[in-house]
Amino acid sequence: MRVLGVDPGLTRCGVGVVEGVPGRPLTMLGVGVVRTPADAELGQRLVAVEQGIERWLDEHRPEFVAVERVFSQHNVRTVMGTAQASAVAMLCAARRGIPVALHTPSEVKAAVTGSGRADKAQVGAMVTRLLRLDAPPKPADAADALALAICHIWRAPAQNRLQQAVALHANKAPVARKAPLPSKGRTP
C-alpha cells in the first residue's frame, strides 16, 4: 500500500509518501513541504498548495491519501487556513479517484507512538525509527505527514474490516415490524 500523507497548512503543507503493509517494515519514498509566501493573496496560496500536491501525486502515484482532520483551535485564522489546505488536498485526490482518509492528530500520535498525547519530538523520533531514517524529517510538518501515512497503513485494514462488518450486519438486520393494533370492538 502506498500512501501520501498530508499535514495541511497554508504556509507549510507537509507531504510524505510511505509504502508498506502492517506487520512489515515500512519504506519512505519521499518527504517534503509545499510552501507558500505568507504575504501572498489567499487564492494564489491555495493554487500553490494545489500545484505542489499535484506534483507529489504525479511523482509518487499513491493508492490512498491520508489528511489530518482539522480540529478546533482557539486561533480561527489558523483553523481556516488549515481547513482550506485540507480541502485542496482532498480535491486533488478526489479528482484522480484516489480514496481519502481523515485522521485526527490524536489518532496519528497514538498509532505512531502509542500515546494520543505525544508531542512533536516524540512523533518525529518514532517516525525516524519506524522508517529507519538517519534523522527526524524537518520541519515537523514533514514528519507529521509521514506519521499520517504510517497511521493510515496500520489502521486502514482494521477500519475496512469494521466497515464491512457494519455493512454486512445492516444487510442482515431484520426489519422491525410493529405489533398489530387490536381491532375495534374486540377486547384483548
Side-chain angles (χ1 to χ4, degrees), residues 26-114:
L26 303 171
T27 304
M28 180 188 76
L29 300 179
V31 66
V33 177
V34 175
R35 297 180 187 271
T36 70
D39 59 349
E41 187 265 319
L42 176 60
Q44 293 172 336
R45 294 178 82 186
L46 292 172
V47 168
V49 170
E50 181 215 15
Q51 291 170 342
I53 291 172
E54 288 289 350
R55 281 192 298 274
W56 279 83
L57 292 171
D58 285 341
E59 182 177 344
H60 295 284
R61 306 249 183 247
E63 299 166 75
F64 299 91
V65 173
V67 180
E68 184 175 272
R69 182 183 301 274
V70 178
F71 63 97
S72 179
Q73 295 176 342
H74 298 292
N75 186 340
V76 175
R77 187 172 176 195
T78 301
V79 170
M80 290 301 294
T82 303
Q84 290 161 336
S86 177
V88 168
M90 290 186 283
L91 174 69
C92 291
R95 196 184 286 143
R96 293 169 182 246
I98 301 171
V100 175
L102 299 174
H103 299 283
T104 66
S106 57
E107 283 177 331
V108 174
K109 291 173 186 179
V112 174
T113 71

Side-chain angles (χ1 to χ4, degrees), residues 111-122:
V112 174
T113 71
S115 170
R117 295 182 178 192
D119 62 22
K120 293 251 184 216
Q122 290 170 308

Side-chain angles (χ1 to χ4, degrees), residues 158-173:
Q159 288 173 338
N160 289 341
R161 284 192 300 274
L162 283 172
Q163 289 171 347
Q164 290 170 352
V166 167
L168 182 64
H169 180 70
N171 290 336
K172 289 184 176 181

Side-chain angles (χ1 to χ4, degrees), residues 5-16 28 30-36 56 68 119-125 127-128 131 133 135-148:
V6 179
D7 182 38
L10 274 180
T11 304
R12 288 183 321 270
C13 183
V15 286
M28 180 188 76
V31 66
V33 177
V34 175
R35 297 180 187 271
T36 70
W56 279 83
E68 184 175 272
D119 62 22
K120 293 251 184 216
Q122 290 170 308
V123 171
V127 165
T128 303
L131 297 175
L133 305 175
K138 299 285 183 192
D141 309 273
D144 289 348
L146 291 171
L148 275 152

